[in-house]
């Protein structure tokens, strides 16, 4: 088990056992690391990951709190984080995305109007190499949503939207654990946008395939490990 996963599992055990309750503040980082037998760096990464998916609430200058969600909801979310990258169904969802999103990108290259293209470019520019993982994922969702909408097919757009949520945490986890994932995502988004702007449907389809396949390949490797 990776160190970050081990840290998350130990925080989960504290919630399951009642040592941590919804709304309760976590002990100081140094104290909690000693208590759980973890390095401060692995604990910090676990807290960061859990805050991204709203299980922990990091309040600057005040401390870190367990989300105020009901206990059963918290446990469901924590279990999902522990298990999602061992669940092949996420791969199946990504496979469907790899089929649909290139088609949407190709259609968008042919059909997008200038106003929508301008807005798509603005979404692209919101994320930089200095962006956080949650900012990257939020803009990634918006970028793909706008491309799907520009494809001019409400059924296709709805299908892509329905796949975004179940694969969002996989993208968060990739951003936290895979070196260079943010830079790679930005580069691929730029390539997709440039192809759409040039009205090159074949190139847009190709880059969208490469983009989705990258996440799929990472998750496949994680499952094997």
């Amino acid at each position: 088990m990776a160190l970050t996963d081990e840290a998350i599992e130990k925080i989960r055990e504290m919630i399951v056992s009642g040592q941590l309750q919804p709304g309760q503040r976590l002990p100081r980082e140094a104290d909690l690391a000693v208590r759980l037998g973890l390095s401060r760096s692995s604990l910090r990464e676990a807290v960061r990951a859990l805050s991204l998916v709203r299980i922990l609430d990091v309040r600057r200058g005040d401390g870190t709190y367990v989300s105020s969600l009901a206990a059963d909801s918290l446990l469901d979310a924590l279990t999902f984080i522990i298990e999602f990258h061992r669940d092949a169904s996420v791969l199946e969802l990504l496979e469907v995305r790899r089929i649909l999103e290139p088609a949407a990108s190709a259609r968008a290259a042919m059909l997008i109007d200038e106003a929508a293209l301008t807005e798509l470019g603005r979404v692209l520019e919101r994320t930089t190499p200095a962006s956080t993982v949650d900012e990257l994922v939020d803009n990634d969702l918006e970028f793909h949503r706008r491309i799907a909408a520009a494809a001019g097919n409400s059924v296709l757009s709805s299908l892509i939207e329905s796949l975004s949520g179940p694969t969002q945490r996989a993208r968060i986890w990739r951003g936290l654990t895979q070196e260079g994932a943010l830079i790679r995502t930005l580069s691929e988004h730029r390539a997709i946008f440039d192809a759409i702007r040039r009205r090159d449907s074949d190139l847009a389809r190709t880059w969208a395939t490469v983009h989705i396949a990258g996440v799929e390949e990472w998750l496949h490797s994680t499952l094997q490990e």
Side-chain angles (χ1 to χ4, degrees):
M1 180 182 290
L3 291 177
T4 302
D5 289 348
E6 181 183 359
I8 290 173
E9 176 62 29
K10 289 187 174 183
I11 292 173
R12 177 180 182 274
E13 289 173 359
M14 292 181 72
I15 295 175
V16 170
S17 66
Q19 297 175 63
L20 288 175
Q21 298 286 336
Q24 183 177 343
R25 180 178 177 177
L26 269 65
R28 291 173 58 251
E29 180 185 273
D31 295 338
L32 186 57
V34 171
R35 179 175 172 181
L36 297 178
L38 299 166
S39 69
R40 294 179 68 172
S41 61
S42 61
L43 177 61
R44 193 174 299 124
E45 284 300 308
V47 169
R48 181 185 177 200
L50 293 174
S51 68
L52 286 175
V53 290
R54 310 294 186 260
I55 292 169
L56 295 180
D57 180 15
V58 179
R59 304 175 190 175
R60 184 166 297 179
D62 187 22
T64 300
Y65 292 77
V66 180
S67 169
S68 58
L69 291 173
D72 55 349
S73 298
L74 278 173
L75 295 181
D76 287 345
L78 278 166
T79 299
F80 183 82
I81 289 296
I82 295 286
E83 298 297 337
F84 89 91
H85 54 300
R86 301 175 189 138
D87 181 359
S89 66
V90 181
L91 270 178
E92 292 179 353
L93 293 172
L94 286 169
E95 183 180 2
V96 176
R97 281 191 67 200
R98 182 164 47 83
I99 294 169
L100 296 180
E101 296 216 25
S105 297
R107 286 180 59 87
M110 294 184 291
L111 299 173
I112 194 169
D113 60 37
E114 288 302 318
L117 185 63
T118 298
E119 287 303 313
L120 184 63
R122 288 174 180 165
V123 172
L124 185 68
E125 297 303 326
R126 287 179 199 158
T127 311
T128 71
S131 298
T132 62
V133 173
D134 51 337
E135 289 170 340
L136 171 68
V137 172
D138 285 345
N139 282 308
D140 179 79
L141 291 170
E142 182 66 17
F143 182 75
H144 290 284
R145 185 179 297 118
R146 286 182 179 272
I147 290 174
N153 185 305
S154 60
V155 176
L156 179 60
S157 179
S158 179
L159 287 171
I160 291 174
E161 178 70 21
S162 70
L163 294 170
S164 293
T167 59
Q168 181 179 4
R169 285 182 170 120
R171 281 175 277 179
I172 290 174
W173 211 257
R174 183 196 186 203
L176 287 170
T177 60
Q178 186 182 43
E179 184 177 358
L182 189 149
I183 298 298
R184 189 176 301 110
T185 297
L186 293 180
S187 176
E188 290 165 0
H189 279 186
R190 170 60 64 181
I192 294 169
F193 174 77
D194 287 344
I196 291 173
R197 183 179 57 185
R198 290 160 53 188
R199 309 290 176 175
D200 190 331
S201 59
D202 289 338
L203 189 58
R205 184 193 306 274
T206 298
W207 273 114
T209 302
V210 168
H211 180 54
I212 303 301
V215 183
E216 193 177 1
E217 180 182 2
W218 164 80
L219 183 57
H220 182 71
S221 297
T222 302
L223 283 165
Q224 287 184 322
E225 293 173 4

